[in-house]
Amino acid sequence: MTYHYHDETIIKNLPDDTIFVFGSNMAGTHQGGAAKTALLHFGATKGVGRGWAGQSFAIPTMNEHLQQMPLSQIQHYIEDFKIYTKNHPKMKYFITAVGCGVAGYKVEEIAPMFKGISRNVIFPVSFRPFVEKTLPKLTQKLVHTFIQDSVIFSDNPSETIQTLNLTEAEKSLATIVINTPMYPEDSNGRDRTFEISDILQALNGKIFEFQSNSEGPMIFGGVILALMELYQFNERDFIELWNGEKTIAPPKPEHHAKR
């Protein structure tokens, strides 16, 4: 099924027939991220952490104590939302990256939960590989195209990616990987500097030449770490991939099973 997508830039208004969908906590504090946008611009109500309010719809991803909910519980609320969209077909739903900000989950953990939803939704572009089709196979051409300084350190990497000679699925993958926080901390607040340093050490002199573990190389290594975690491979695999000695298939659906 083909859906519509948005580029995940911050918005402050939508057409009257379009609902802003965001991840929330059950306390309804709406203090940051898309929840704050919903409060300031789309009629979300303090203390209401679930369901419709104004021109917004809250999907809980954290409990009333502002703690991360298990994926199985989030899936329950997403299933409720699917029913809501089906029962209100005249409305459209602008879905943000629910659960992928403060709640700390990854796109590949949340996005597949929305599969099978009615077509009156607008997804963040990072969801595309997971709701519409599988991730693309990794090839030497693909990784050479987007893992380069001119893309990673662009003033607007997402916009730069759209100019690359890649398929839409490959552009979505590149956007996901480059926008995944890894350095100095990931989206769960974990320090990843030691892991990135190990990756740089393994690759240094083999396919790249890094002067030191300064910020630039660490950011570069963080992108590679994000790709390695998404596809579940190691440094040796990446070297062989970069050198054109192998391709890497996308992870199987069971790798995104609920925790």
Side-chain angles (χ1 to χ4, degrees):
M1 180 179 290
T2 300
Y3 295 102
H4 295 290
Y5 298 90
H6 62 84
D7 64 4
E8 304 191 59
T9 56
I10 297 174
I11 62 166
K12 297 181 179 180
N13 58 77
L14 287 168
D16 291 342
D17 66 347
T18 305
I19 303 298
F20 185 84
V21 182
F22 65 100
S24 64
N25 58 67
M26 291 298 285
T29 57
H30 308 323
Q31 291 181 331
K36 185 175 181 179
T37 299
L39 177 67
L40 295 177
H41 304 289
F42 297 103
T45 303
K46 282 277 191 180
V48 179
R50 177 185 179 187
W52 171 83
Q55 197 182 350
S56 70
F57 192 101
I59 297 178
T61 59
M62 303 177 74
N63 63 24
E64 63 273 16
H65 304 296
L66 311 187
Q67 299 167 328
Q68 183 189 68
M69 284 184 177
L71 286 169
S72 57
Q73 192 170 358
I74 295 173
Q75 173 114 50
H76 168 75
Y77 291 120
I78 290 176
E79 292 300 323
D80 285 348
F81 173 66
K82 288 181 182 180
I83 295 172
Y84 187 90
T85 63
K86 185 177 180 180
N87 291 339
H88 299 81
K90 293 184 179 180
M91 302 301 293
K92 296 177 183 177
Y93 301 88
F94 184 97
I95 300 174
T96 61
V98 173
C100 302
V102 177
Y105 284 113
K106 296 179 180 179
V107 171
E108 63 265 29
E109 295 176 299
I110 296 293
M113 297 182 186
F114 286 90
K115 283 185 176 180
I117 197 170
S118 54
R119 297 188 63 177
N120 53 334
V121 298
I122 306 168
F123 281 123
V125 68
S126 60
F127 278 30
R128 184 169 189 162
F130 305 102
V131 297
E132 190 171 321
K133 59 184 72 175
T134 59
L135 288 165
K137 178 173 66 176
L138 293 182
T139 64
Q140 181 189 49
K141 174 183 178 294
L142 173 56
V143 294
H144 279 203
T145 300
F146 79 88
I147 298 183
Q148 53 178 297
D149 290 350
S150 61
V151 178
I152 294 172
F153 299 107
S154 167
D155 291 337
N156 190 332
S158 297
E159 185 175 297
T160 301
I161 287 168
Q162 295 307 308
T163 69
L164 301 178
N165 184 24
L166 298 173
T167 67
E168 289 304 313
E170 289 171 340
K171 289 178 182 178
S172 294
L173 166 67
T175 301
I176 292 167
V177 172
I178 289 178
N179 289 337
T180 297
M182 282 294 175
Y183 176 78
E185 295 180 341
D186 64 14
S187 57
N188 291 310
R190 296 176 296 177
D191 185 343
R192 309 304 295 272
T193 55
F194 292 107
E195 292 170 82
I196 296 171
S197 295
D198 287 344
I199 291 171
L200 295 179
Q201 183 175 0
L203 302 183
N204 199 16
K206 297 182 175 65
I207 56 177
F208 301 116
E209 294 290 342
F210 297 109
Q211 296 301 316
S212 66
N213 285 358
S214 59
E215 184 175 60
M218 293 297 284
I219 293 172
F220 193 91
V223 170
I224 296 174
L225 174 58
L227 186 64
M228 289 169 58
E229 289 198 342
L230 181 57
Y231 278 77
Q232 302 184 3
F233 62 85
N234 59 31
E235 290 92 337
R236 180 186 293 273
D237 292 323
F238 184 80
I239 292 170
E240 293 178 356
L241 171 66
W242 190 266
N243 291 332
E245 297 167 0
K246 73 185 303 181
T247 61
I248 296 177
K252 296 180 179 179
E254 58 263 30
H255 289 165
H256 304 308
K258 297 187 289 289
R259 288 197 282 216

